[in-house]
Amino acid sequence: MYPYWKNMEYIKKLCDEHDVKLSFFYVNKIGNPVKHPKYVDRIKAIAPIWHAPDSLFHTVEYYVDPAHFNRKGTEAMTPYLLRHLEQYDY
């Protein structure tokens, strides 16, 4: 776990140094009832966490394996991700 946190903190530092907004988009495993990642408060201290509707994570046909979306799942997720990205100026 140590390298995980150090990597996240390093990425945050790089983003801050280059005026890049950092945020995390949480993708849940298929059928997992947990709506937040483990250590949510620690992650939020580094950057905000975005979530898609829980219903996406309960649609079996969206997954290629228990933790990764297939093309159909990615297409279903895109509007939610886009909605979050639209709030920033590029």
Side-chain angles (χ1 to χ4, degrees), residues 6-66:
K6 287 297 174 190
N7 289 339
M8 288 178 69
E9 290 164 356
Y10 180 69
I11 290 168
K12 172 65 173 159
K13 179 180 173 273
L14 288 175
C15 288
D16 289 347
E17 289 173 356
H18 297 282
D19 197 29
V20 173
K21 298 239 183 216
L22 176 65
S23 55
F24 299 105
F25 193 79
Y26 181 63
V27 177
N28 209 348
K29 291 182 180 177
I30 190 167
N32 191 349
V34 178
K35 294 186 180 193
H36 301 286
K38 194 173 186 181
Y39 309 112
V40 66
D41 292 332
R42 188 164 181 190
I43 295 170
K44 281 183 179 179
I46 297 170
I49 303 171
W50 302 339
H51 297 86
D54 196 46
S55 61
L56 288 177
F57 307 119
H58 295 284
T59 306
V60 176
E61 64 188 48
Y62 289 168
Y63 285 81
V64 69
D65 65 36

